[in-house]
Amino acid sequence: TPSLSPPPLSLEPILCDVGEFLCGDQLTCVSESWLCDGEPDCPDGSDEVLDKCKVEVIVRCPLNHIQCIGTRKCIHFNKLCNGAKDCEDGFDEGVHCRELLSACHELHCRYGCIMTRNGTFCFCADGFEVGDDGRSCRDHDECAMYGTCSQTCMNTYGSYRCSCTDGYSLQPNRRSCIAKHETGENPAALLIGGSDNIIITALNGSRLQTLKQLDSNGTHGLDFNHKEESVCWVTSSESSGQLRCARMRKASGFTKEQEVKTVQNLHDVDQLAFDWLTGNFYFVDQASDRIFVCNQHGDTCVTVIDLDLLNPKAIALDPLMGMLFFTDYGYQAKLERCNMDGTNRTRLVDYKVERPTAVALDLVKKLVYWADAYLDYIEMVDYNGKNRHTIIQGYQVAHLHGLAVFEDYLYATRSEPSSGAVVDILRINRFNVTDPETLTSIGNAKTIRVYHKLSQPKVKGHACEIDPYGKPGGCSHICLLSGSYKSRSCRCHTGFSLGSDGLSCKKPRNDLFLFYGKGRPGIIRGLDINVKSSNEYMVPIEDLVNPRALDYHAETGNIYFADTTSFLIGRQKVDGSSRETILKDDLDNVEGISVDWIGNNLYWTNDGYRKTISVARLERASETRKTLLEGDMSHPRAIVVDPLNSWMYWTDWEEDEVNDSIGRIEKAWMDGSNRKIFVTSNMLWPNGLTLEHGTSTMYWCDAYYDHIERIYLNGTGRMVVYSGRELSHPFGIAQYQNSIFWTEYMNGSIFQLDLVSGEVSLLRSERPPLFGLRVYDAQSQLGDNACRVNYGGCGTLCLAIPGGRVHS
């Protein structure tokens, strides 16, 4: 629940934050909103025994039972006024039993009347409940109550009947369902992924065996494929991650271990879930805050969820329903559900939840169980987020990391920070909760799965079955279930888009997408301009630190980036190939880069000890680099070249807030000559810079004034186009047709401004900081100048200047 502070070293009283309550132990602070809510949140329960609490303890008593005040004891109505003390304080007996007799007669109850110290009311036989008139009796639907039956429940008149689905048999208690054990089959077992091994044990914790000793830093997610008798896990080293699978014929070890090579880097993967119908693998990536899926061969990986996801944690699949469940504890902790293709996203729980660390599904009853490592509970809702129910709460279920459901039980891994690397494996009866049973204790472990065929129920046929041409569900690249095992959607490799038939994937004639850089961790990502589209146009460029400046070269399909604190300029193709560093010496603080797509040159600003603007050829950059301008700059930032007209433009920051008009935009010919100030008044921190060639217009944002401005390249028509509240520290800016896009450095947002309607929409929100932003538009890098043919006849550098002349 709450944070337990260490015992004070002195006798100073503990001070709780505003809105918190100090428990009776004088050590623990809990939220005031948790007082008198029927659940003890303080270790001593003092938040539930306050004078202002109407009743000391709220207990849900069964039908026809009443609570003995101040205790957790419930007694049947028949025991009220029967002459025997059934509550310790005699609450069930007393003078009211005689005095209220006449009041009972006046009620004309159909079945029976009970007398309590608070008054009289009617009750009905077990299995029935009082009607709306307060006197008559009607059938009570026992099936509506959680835990009446282990699986299927059928309400009958005055009673109910439990039954089990295929593969299970009803137990003598006529309520519980146990998996049938067929001859020749291994019994159900617990599969546990640890920091240095993979372990299997019987459901009661006995016969502990190590299946695999791991030499790297442990499993980052583990799951199994019962049909193939295989186990798969993710391991991670310093720079990369691997998905490995092995056969498990016997519960004694692995055979045929191999790597499944995935096109996506698994370095930051923390969770893994296997779709046993399609063979797809789902991953939670904690560094880039997204959930993605790869097909069973690993050659196609696509993002499923990445918006409004700030710290994704647990994941669980129900392929029969085509549904994916996941938890997130970013700014707002939540439990969510979506289809397995990412559509129909629905929030199931977003209140009284703080750190949901584990999630598991009851595939039969369609229930979601989750554990909260801060509030110390396991709770349950149905697939629609209704009928929320606390299974167990308290220190016994503190610090849970893994959760699995099988038969009547929940299995969990628990590690207390104080106990070091020891992890307890717990078993909890989820319908008749008593204290959890500790099955065994092992070394550090997180993931837990119940290895049994009923954990992965089969279907006769599904929408992603392989067609006669070897394509899953007829899809060119990858098939994802969606809302049912009978329904699917196709997705494509990065850089391809889905055809109108919904099946085929083709390379778009004109690549068009946004891409941007972010820090912590450093990464460059693509984002579709059309918000509704799920196409992915570029493989993320990872393992960066601060990719502040970006540009692209459509002809070669390269994204260029300056990783400022790594002091390098590099590039990578949109398809994720050909990653290389092209410049690394004498780069202090590169804040802006720009590709001259006609002359095939790269321009950059350097805001270090020397303030410079330099150029180099895209190929053989380190051999051809040249400084064009040096000095008379404060902090050169963004740069953009206009090879069609042979000019270049750059922004210069000024840190002096006293004189708020000395930031500026300068321009020069592309050989550095004819330098002049282009814009300077009412400007301090001009950040991004972008040109619209068709209308000869420049746009920029100012991070001091928090507005976006435009000016025509002939120096006229300067005006503020937007200064709304969304602007708090704009950094990168890009333009396409009637839209301006910008990144917010401090709050990690990307916005789109419609220049016609003035409407602003949020395209993406993630962990800051965000840096440069560009629209990758192959159609915009067209046209000619004197450097187009034969590199202008130049030996080293071809730098275009107005009038078609060349400076080399």
Side-chain angles (χ1 to χ4, degrees), residues 4 39 108 154 238 299 326 336 383 453 455 464 479 547 594 679-680 732 779:
L4 184 60
E39 296 174 3
H108 302 297
M154 193 175 98
E238 275 190 16
D299 55 15
F326 58 96
E336 297 193 70
Y383 278 13
K453 67 177 183 182
S455 294
C464 287
C479 181
S594 185
V679 189
T680 188
Q779 296 302 301

Side-chain angles (χ1 to χ4, degrees), residues 53 130 256 298 756:
C53 296
V130 178
K256 296 185 179 170
V756 177

Side-chain angles (χ1 to χ4, degrees), residues 1 372-373 376-377 394-400 413-416 426:
T1 307
D372 194 303
D376 302 343
Y377 66 59
Y395 68 92
Q396 316 108 300
V397 288
H399 313 294
L400 295 191
T413 57
R414 177 185 66 192
S415 64
E416 291 192 38
L426 307 182

